[in-house]
Structure formats: C-alpha cells, structure tokens
Amino acid sequence: CYLSQIILMTLSCHGACAEVDSDTEAVAGKGFKLGCISCKRRSEVPGSATIEWHFRAKGDADFVLIYTYNEEGPTIEHDQFLDRVDWNGSKRSNDIQDASIYLLNVTFNDSGTYSCFFNRILFYDNYEYKDVVSKVVHLSVVGKATRGTASIVSEVMMYVSIIGLQLWLLIEMIYCYRKIAAAGEEALREAANAEYLAIASESKDNCAGVQVGE
Ligand SMILES: *[C@@H]1O[C@H](CO)[C@@H](O)[C@H](O)[C@H]1NC(C)=O
Ligand SMILES: *[C@@H]1O[C@H](CO)[C@@H](O)[C@H](O)[C@H]1NC(C)=O
Ligand SMILES: *[C@@H]1O[C@H](CO)[C@@H](O)[C@H](O)[C@H]1NC(C)=O
C-alpha cells in the first residue's frame, strides 16, 4: 500500500491518472480517506463530472445518499455524516477524476459499504457523451490499527533480503579481494621466475661464449 501511494504520487506529479483502490480499514476516532478514482478513457477529451456518494451501513438493506459534489460545491446529505466529510478529490476543476472524500472522527457506525458515482459528460467536437461510473469501497472500522499479515510478512521479507544482499556483497568483496591478491602474488612469482630464467639462460649463453672463445 505504501508502494501504491508512491506510484500514485509519482503519477500525479506528471498529471497522469491512476485508478488506485481505496484503503478499507479505518480506525475509530481518526480520520479516513475514502478513495475513489475514475480515469477518463480518453484523457485529451474535455469532460465534466458530478459526484454522489452512497452508503449502506452494515446490516442495512438499502443505500442512502450521503454526499454530493457538483457545480454548487459539496453538500452533506445525511445527518450521520454532518460536519464530518471533507472533499479530498480533484480541485479547481469540474473535470473530476478523483472523487475521494475524507471522513473525520470515524465511528464504528461508519462501517459498511460506500459507493461513489461519477456522472460524467465528455465533450467531443460534435456531440456529448454521458457516462456513469461507480466504485465500491467496503469499509471496516477497528479500535486501533491492525496490520495485515501480508504487510508484516512483506516487511520481514524486505529486511531478510536486504541483509541477504549485503552478506552476499560482503562475501563477493572478500572473494574478489582474495582472488586479486592471489593473482598479484602469482604475477610476481611469474615475473621473478621469468627473470631468473632469463638470467640463467643469459649466463648459459655467456658460458657458451666463453667456451667458444677458449
Ligand atoms: C483530505 O482532507 C483532510 C481534511 O480536510 C486533510 O486533512 C487531508 O490532508 C486531505 N488529504 C488529501 C490527500 O488531500
Ligand atoms: C472530532 O474529534 C475532535 C477531537 O476528539 C473534536 O475536537 C472535534 O470536535 C470532533 N469533530 C466532530 C465533527 O465531531
Ligand atoms: C451508532 O448507532 C447506534 C444505533 O443506531 C446509536 O445508538 C449510536 O449512538 C451510534 N453511535 C455513534 C457514535 O454515532
């Protein structure tokens, strides 16, 4: 989930749109960002969208409208969320692709299913295209932050692989150092040998010369 945040940040730096899934676990008493992103299929086509968020509490049968965001701005439509929702989506534009909202002071009663709707109009040269996209977030509220086993396992794996890599690097360095040192000694020995042979053969030649001279 950190990775996806980093990817999202990188992409939003470049103005690109990425449909990252919302987190689904909120902590009671804290704030929580309900994510909802719908990228336009054709990013170059100008568009405009209004947003609706619906909520179905755990155990309830029906969805109720809780929040709208349109030309007139944000409106909280349900008492349960009065003064507790902030817009976290696209700013300064009707061409909304990020419709995320921020829940303040989450309570256990906020557990349930949220669904966001994009009512989008795409303005082509000769016509307008209407499109409705919806996304669903299943939110569970917990007393304090719990961490998924998967995230703990992946963190442990990360440390294991970092330590493993460093050990491997160290061993490789020692191995290389030894090899270089050995190669150096070998070269020295060879050079010494060569010199010895050269001197030996030279003196042999000399001897031969001397013998011929006699
Ligand atoms: C979302 O809104 C909340 C409350 O206004 C704010 O604290 C938070 O920084 C916002 N987050 C983003 C990503 O805009
Ligand atoms: C949220 O909680 C804070 C701290 O407990 C409190 O000061 C604030 O009034 C609460 N806000 C709402 C909207 O309940
Ligand atoms: C949660 O819902 C129950 C039953 O509807 C209600 O009695 C309680 O006051 C609610 N709690 C909060 C924090 O809104």
Side-chain angles (χ1 to χ4, degrees), residues 105-118:
N105 294 6
V106 170
T107 75
F108 287 103
N109 291 356
D110 297 339
S111 297
T113 307
Y114 293 80
S115 134
C116 67
F117 286 83
F118 289 81

Side-chain angles (χ1 to χ4, degrees), residues 29 82-84 104-105:
L82 209 61
D83 295 332
R84 289 207 298 129
L104 296 151
N105 294 6

Side-chain angles (χ1 to χ4, degrees), residues 176-198:
C176 276
Y177 176 78
R178 286 222 177 126
K179 209 169 162 183
I180 289 168
E185 263 169 38
E186 186 78 4
L188 269 179
R189 211 174 301 131
E190 253 168 37
N193 267 348
E195 205 167 332
Y196 171 77
L197 283 177

Side-chain angles (χ1 to χ4, degrees), residues 13-204:
C13 270
H14 294 95
C17 178
E19 296 193 359
V20 178
D21 286 339
S22 177
D23 282 344
T24 57
E25 190 179 275
V27 178
K30 299 247 164 70
F32 181 78
K33 180 176 170 174
L34 273 165
C36 175
I37 299 176
S38 159
C39 299
K40 289 188 297 184
R41 294 287 161 262
R42 304 264 310 271
S43 61
E44 74 282 4
V45 177
S48 145
T50 61
I51 307 300
E52 283 178 11
W53 276 92
H54 296 249
F55 170 62
R56 186 181 64 196
K58 227 183 206 163
D60 278 6
D62 299 315
F63 278 93
V64 290
L65 179 65
I66 57 166
Y67 186 85
T68 55
Y69 191 94
N70 52 33
E71 301 82 15
E72 280 124 52
T75 316
I76 294 169
E77 310 276 2
H78 195 276
D79 287 348
Q80 184 183 334
F81 295 94
L82 209 61
D83 295 332
R84 289 207 298 129
V85 185
D86 271 339
W87 180 247
N88 256 181
S90 308
K91 296 183 176 73
R92 294 182 297 274
S93 166
N94 290 326
D95 193 359
I96 297 163
Q97 298 192 84
D98 182 351
S100 304
I101 55 176
Y102 193 81
L103 288 183
L104 296 151
N105 294 6
V106 170
T107 75
F108 287 103
N109 291 356
D110 297 339
S111 297
T113 307
Y114 293 80
S115 134
C116 67
F117 286 83
F118 289 81
N119 298 298
R120 178 174 284 150
I121 304 174
L122 292 171
F123 302 106
Y124 288 93
D125 287 343
N126 302 316
Y127 65 101
E128 291 179 353
Y129 178 77
K130 286 200 169 70
D131 194 17
V132 177
V133 179
S134 70
K135 305 247 160 171
V136 169
V137 181
H138 298 281
L139 182 69
S140 48
V141 179
V142 297
K144 60 178 168 51
T146 63
R147 286 183 59 195
T149 346
S151 104
I152 293 173
V153 167
S154 67
E155 189 168 327
V156 169
M157 288 303 288
M158 190 182 75
Y159 286 122
V160 167
S161 58
I162 287 175
I163 291 170
L165 269 173
Q166 281 181 345
L167 272 179
W168 177 74
L169 217 88
L170 193 69
I171 291 169
E172 197 76 346
M173 267 167 63
I174 292 174
Y175 174 76
C176 276
Y177 176 78
R178 286 222 177 126
K179 209 169 162 183
I180 289 168
E185 263 169 38
E186 186 78 4
L188 269 179
R189 211 174 301 131
E190 253 168 37
N193 267 348
E195 205 167 332
Y196 171 77
L197 283 177
I199 292 168
S201 68
E202 205 173 287
S203 57
K204 222 190 268 164

